[in-house]
Amino acid sequence: MIELKPDDTLRHLTHAIQRLPARLAAAALALSLTACHDPGRQNPAAIYEEASAAPYQSEVDEGFGAAVAILVDTSGSMRDNALGDSRPKAIVAREALDAMFDATESLVAKRPGFAVKVGIYSFSSDASTVLPMQSFDRSAIRKALDQVPQPGGGTAIGEAMRTARPDLYRSGVFRKYLLVVTDGENTSGRSPAQVANEIFQKSEGAVEIYFVAFDTSADRFEFLKQVRGDVMGAGNGPELRKALDEIYQGRILAEASALAEREPGAR
């Protein structure tokens, strides 16, 4: 077995790093220099693993389209009736989300080659996946919205964002969005401000974050400005539908569609 001197180790690692994607190379080089000053600290395999885990790097080839993770609040307060309505906020929110997807159905019909992917997640005291991220399927979305858990428990907004994040990274499209509908502040798990900052930093701004503050103060989510996100307030059902339409149709679908239109050869 041939022993490599520190200089030889650095040379081999440098060649390996040059074959890494640009965003991984810087992190890998920094780690390799540290390891070569202290050979007993890390081996090359560990260095590569840390470099791979540190920055965001899509796990699949990406194309034009939009991936949207919908995060639905199912905390106990969503049992309360919506303002000016005899129905719970949970039902009003599900109906508004279902109506929101009519715009997607129309877009897909006009441009069948345009990729729209949707994932649905719910959160109370913890988070769960209701519909894994997949290509737009209207019937699957309706079924998933009907399967959103009944309200009860706390409000784990940050944990829901962490649950949805990997699905967005593996979605296979350039434009990625988190859309959160909630009627309260975080009461369980990591704070949404912390998770939003992590997503912004690690994805290099590739994931855009929107909140709709339903029957609660939008000021609770001012942190979104720091990660180039946005929040809209909605006091009742009609305002909720309007806010969702503005974010989803006016920003998410419009932006992703315009980007695809600029691609050479796009129809």
Side-chain angles (χ1 to χ4, degrees), residues 31 46 68 77 79 96 116 124 150 181 189 193 196 206 210:
L31 286 167
V68 189
S77 59
R79 286 192 298 254
V116 177
S124 53
Q150 294 298 311
V181 178
Y210 295 102

Side-chain angles (χ1 to χ4, degrees), residues 141-162:
I141 289 172
R142 285 195 181 99
K143 184 178 179 180
L145 288 173
D146 287 340
Q147 293 175 341
V148 170
Q150 294 298 311
T155 312
I157 303 173
E159 294 304 316
M161 295 167 69
R162 293 184 71 221

Side-chain angles (χ1 to χ4, degrees), residues 177-189:
Y177 305 88
L178 271 171
L179 175 54
V180 181
V181 178
T182 181
D183 76 334
E185 60 184 332
N186 195 79
T187 63
S188 178

Side-chain angles (χ1 to χ4, degrees), residues 13-260:
L13 286 172
T14 301
H15 290 316
I17 290 167
Q18 289 172 347
R19 294 193 293 270
L20 290 173
R23 282 178 289 186
L24 294 181
L29 181 58
L31 286 167
S32 65
L33 289 172
T34 301
C36 287
H37 283 297
D38 185 358
R41 184 176 298 177
Q42 287 179 304
N43 59 41
I47 293 169
Y48 183 86
E49 289 175 2
E50 285 195 26
S52 298
Y56 161 71
Q57 180 73 16
S58 175
E59 298 178 14
V60 295
D61 292 335
E62 294 185 335
F64 289 97
V68 189
I70 308 294
L71 280 55
V72 186
D73 190 337
T74 57
S75 61
S77 59
M78 291 293 283
R79 286 192 298 254
D80 300 339
N81 287 351
L83 184 65
D85 203 310
S86 60
R87 300 169 300 161
K89 286 183 283 186
I91 293 177
V92 173
R94 283 201 290 270
E95 288 186 357
L97 287 167
D98 187 55
M100 180 188 79
F101 284 111
D102 289 341
T104 317
E105 199 166 26
S106 175
L107 175 65
V108 170
K110 293 177 182 177
R111 297 187 61 186
F114 184 77
V116 177
K117 299 190 176 183
V118 176
I120 299 176
Y121 310 81
S122 68
F123 59 92
S124 53
S125 296
D126 53 17
S128 63
T129 301
V130 182
L131 179 72
M133 185 68 65
Q134 59 184 257
S135 296
F136 177 80
D137 182 325
R138 194 68 171 92
S139 61
I141 289 172
R142 285 195 181 99
K143 184 178 179 180
L145 288 173
D146 287 340
Q147 293 175 341
V148 170
Q150 294 298 311
T155 312
I157 303 173
E159 294 304 316
M161 295 167 69
R162 293 184 71 221
T163 298
R165 176 176 60 183
D167 286 355
L168 285 171
Y169 289 172
R170 293 191 291 264
S171 63
V173 294
F174 290 127
R175 311 306 301 176
K176 306 173 185 69
Y177 305 88
L178 271 171
L179 175 54
V180 181
V181 178
T182 181
D183 76 334
E185 60 184 332
N186 195 79
T187 63
S188 178
R190 295 192 187 188
S191 75
Q194 177 187 355
V195 179
N197 187 64
E198 290 174 358
I199 292 173
F200 180 74
Q201 295 296 331
K202 290 193 175 183
S203 73
E204 299 177 355
V207 177
E208 296 185 29
I209 305 173
Y210 295 102
F211 274 52
V212 177
F214 183 29
D215 191 28
T216 190
S217 174
D219 292 342
R220 289 176 168 173
F221 311 108
E222 284 293 304
F223 64 84
L224 290 169
K225 293 181 180 179
Q226 301 173 13
V227 294
R228 300 177 192 169
D230 200 6
V231 56
M232 295 189 67
N236 53 40
E239 291 180 3
L240 176 61
R241 288 199 179 201
K242 182 178 179 181
L244 287 173
D245 285 345
E246 181 172 335
I247 292 173
Y248 188 68
Q249 294 186 56
R251 302 187 191 185
I252 294 175
L253 293 184
E255 179 188 67
S257 182
L259 185 65

